[in-house]
Amino acid sequence: MVDQFQGLDPAAFRSALAQFPSGVTIVTTRSDEGTLHGFTASSFASLSLDPPLVLVCLDRRADCFPVFMAAKHFVVNIVTDAHAELAIKFATKGENKFAYGSFEFDEAGHPLLSDAAAVIRCELEQAVPGGDHVILIGRVHDARTGSSKPVTWYRGGFLPLGESAA
Ligand SMILES: Cc1cc2nc3c(=O)[nH]c(=O)nc-3n(C[C@H](O)[C@H](O)[C@H](O)COP(=O)(O)O)c2cc1C
């Protein structure tokens, strides 16, 4: 078997990654059959302004993986402090995820999280392999900003932004 880590200590790798605070998103889509799917992701990033592109990395082992690979569109919902519990539901396999939280639907039936810090609607432009994940690159069709502050994820926990953050 090939040693993929080539001497790197996996625990040290994870620990170093945990030193990077990120935002938290709930990424959603709708299958052709009309079923709703979603997962919590901290791997979201902006990629390009012109054309407008964003990316999010999806684990190949996720139950929703085949649906996202087949979907033409996905939605990135940037979550707030009030959505912390919901984000854990969306990170839990086998949950009836859409039974929790409040969602609205766009004209194509894609779920948009109500009161999100921002909602970014994308068309799947490319799915690029990246180890045990795939990088979903989305061309942004629509973006809107809410009035609540985003929450951050740091060292395995939610960290609300301080009062000073606008
Ligand atoms: C804060 C947080 C961030 C996460 N970020 C990612 C991510 O960027 N990509 C990913 O594939 N899974 C991520 N996960 C794990 C998935 O949300 C989780 O495995 C989810 O259940 C996968 O979807 P499934 O239920 O369809 O298998 C994250 C979980 C948490 C709690």
Side-chain angles (χ1 to χ4, degrees), residues 24 38-44 56-59 61-65 87-88 90-94 97 133 153 158:
V24 182
F39 66 102
T40 296
S42 57
S43 59
F44 169 74
V56 63
C57 306
L58 175 57
D59 195 322
R61 293 160 301 185
D63 295 343
C64 61
F65 180 78
I88 295 300
F90 272 80
T92 305
K93 281 186 185 296
K97 300 176 179 182
H133 283 55
W153 180 258
F158 293 98

Side-chain angles (χ1 to χ4, degrees), residues 104-159:
E104 297 153 41
F105 296 88
D106 67 9
E107 59 286 350
H110 296 100
L112 318 178
L113 179 63
S114 306
D115 305 324
V119 174
I120 300 167
R121 291 198 291 155
C122 308
E123 180 178 350
L124 180 62
E125 172 122 336
Q126 234 182 308
V128 181
D132 57 8
H133 283 55
V134 160
I135 307 163
L136 304 177
I137 297 178
R139 179 178 282 253
V140 179
H141 281 194
D142 178 66
R144 68 173 80 146
T145 306
S147 55
S148 304
K149 282 192 282 188
V151 71
T152 59
W153 180 258
Y154 175 59
R155 286 187 163 180
F158 293 98
L159 188 66

Side-chain angles (χ1 to χ4, degrees), residues 10-133:
F13 178 46
R14 281 176 177 270
S15 166
L17 294 182
Q19 285 297 99
F20 185 65
S22 65
V24 182
T25 67
I26 292 177
V27 185
T28 58
T29 195
R30 181 184 189 272
S31 72
D32 283 346
E33 293 74 38
T35 51
L36 305 179
H37 301 267
F39 66 102
T40 296
S42 57
S43 59
F44 169 74
S46 58
L47 174 60
S48 161
L49 288 176
D50 184 10
L53 301 174
V54 295
L55 68 84
V56 63
C57 306
L58 175 57
D59 195 322
R60 292 175 181 275
R61 293 160 301 185
D63 295 343
C64 61
F65 180 78
V67 179
F68 275 90
M69 293 301 284
K72 292 183 186 66
H73 297 91
F74 63 88
V75 182
V76 178
N77 302 279
I78 299 180
V79 310
T80 72
D81 203 15
H83 299 121
E85 215 174 301
L86 185 67
I88 295 300
K89 296 284 185 203
F90 272 80
T92 305
K93 281 186 185 296
E95 271 288 2
N96 181 14
K97 300 176 179 182
F98 290 90
Y100 307 95
S102 170
F103 290 89
E104 297 153 41
F105 296 88
D106 67 9
E107 59 286 350
H110 296 100
L112 318 178
L113 179 63
S114 306
D115 305 324
V119 174
I120 300 167
R121 291 198 291 155
C122 308
E123 180 178 350
L124 180 62
E125 172 122 336
Q126 234 182 308
V128 181
D132 57 8
H133 283 55

